[in-house]
Amino acid sequence: MRAEAYAKVNLSLRVRARDASGRHPLRSLAQSIDWADRLALEPASADAFTVTGLPAPADESNLAWRAVAAARAAAARPGPAALTLDKHIPLAAGLGGGSADAAAALVLAGTRFGVGPADRDRLAPGLGADVPFCLLGGTAWMEGFGERLTPLPPLAGFWLAVAVPPFEVSTGAAYSRWDDLDGPDGPAVSGRDLPPELRPYEPLVNDLVPAALSLAPGLGDWAADLRRAWGRALLMSGSGPAHFAFFPTASEAAAAVAAGSGSRGTRACLPVPQGWRVPSGTLP
């Protein structure tokens, strides 16, 4: 059984102060994009987990394997399994790669162990705030702590150029620094800087930008260089440090990606209407 797990971008991310639970409520306009990891889950005589492609942990700290374990714990017919993760989405980039892997692994493990969609939905929030969205995918508002989703009509008509700088920003550290900075608003992008399809949602804002800039001093200069090279307003995804911009055609997005430098990952991407995809004929 095989599946593709799609990255996401936060087109907009508004953060609120910690509530009584100690967590930050959020409201985000999230979008799946066609930058994908690939997973395969097979029956086995003993558990096995293998990671290929980009470096990623191949143990129980990996969200994909945790998703398999969670589905198996809820299963009517548990058993050993072999999971292979072919990693292409950069880690610690704000693109939700780990959450996408967890969502796709839930689908595969649910099929393997007889765990239905309702139980998958119940298990997803316990794996991570982005996992419920990655399980749904497409275009949606995320609210609360990521568990409240409002699907929206699929977005189309534009391309994204996505670039990941050569350093990482910890999600937990970004939220803590946002608190230390007294909860600043992020920079807004609106009007002609957005494709017409996104203007009903303007302004697009990521409130974690000031925190990311504070944690990664080189990010500001890197983003300024990228903005000049692309000639476009930039947005940051999640807690960063990945940035993206909008282009009307595939060729323009590809040219922008080719012009980007000093990145550990770049890609021209389309919005996609799902968070995961099972190739035809790969599920029993």
Side-chain angles (χ1 to χ4, degrees):
M1 299 184 294
R2 300 179 183 276
E4 295 175 342
Y6 291 115
K8 60 81 186 170
V9 291
N10 299 93
L11 298 170
S12 189
L13 175 59
R14 307 310 308 264
V15 180
R16 298 294 175 259
R18 294 180 190 267
D19 67 4
S21 73
R23 296 182 294 171
H24 295 86
L26 58 85
R27 188 170 193 260
S28 176
L29 180 62
Q31 175 63 54
S32 302
I33 57 174
D34 64 344
W35 194 342
D37 292 339
R38 297 177 178 88
L39 296 90
L41 186 72
E42 304 296 343
S45 58
D47 281 345
F49 181 29
T50 303
V51 177
T52 61
L54 295 176
D59 55 31
E60 63 277 1
S61 68
N62 192 297
L63 281 181
W65 186 253
R66 286 175 54 193
V68 172
R72 181 164 53 190
R77 52 176 196 272
L83 178 67
T84 301
L85 169 61
D86 185 18
K87 191 72 182 158
H88 296 269
I89 304 167
L91 295 173
L95 298 174
S99 296
D101 297 341
L106 270 180
V107 173
L108 294 177
T111 302
R112 168 78 175 88
F113 299 124
V115 175
D119 284 324
R120 293 197 316 243
D121 291 344
R122 176 180 58 81
L123 294 169
L127 293 166
D130 285 337
V131 179
F133 168 74
C134 291
L135 196 56
L136 171 69
T139 311
W141 285 111
M142 299 169 51
E143 296 181 273
F145 307 110
E147 81 285 0
R148 297 207 315 267
L149 299 172
T150 304
L152 297 169
L155 287 170
F158 59 89
W159 285 74
L160 302 91
V162 185
V164 184
F167 39 79
E168 299 180 356
V169 175
S170 159
T171 298
Y175 279 94
S176 294
R177 184 59 57 89
W178 187 82
D179 289 335
D180 295 341
L181 296 172
D182 296 324
D185 292 338
V189 177
S190 59
R192 294 178 63 86
D193 287 327
L194 297 176
E197 296 83 0
L198 284 171
R199 291 174 194 165
Y201 305 106
E202 66 180 354
L204 301 185
V205 179
N206 187 331
D207 286 335
L208 292 180
V209 168
L213 291 172
S214 175
L215 288 168
L219 181 58
D221 289 341
W222 177 88
D225 289 344
L226 190 67
R227 191 178 298 111
R228 284 191 293 269
W230 286 1
R232 292 286 193 279
L234 298 180
L235 283 160
M236 188 179 81
S237 183
S239 57
H243 279 61
F244 60 94
F246 304 107
F247 294 86
T249 66
S251 60
E252 289 174 275
V257 165
S261 61
S263 300
R264 60 184 170 98
T266 56
R267 189 175 177 93
C269 298
L270 275 172
V272 293
Q274 69 274 0
W276 51 271
R277 187 180 76 89
V278 174
S280 177
T282 62
L283 287 182

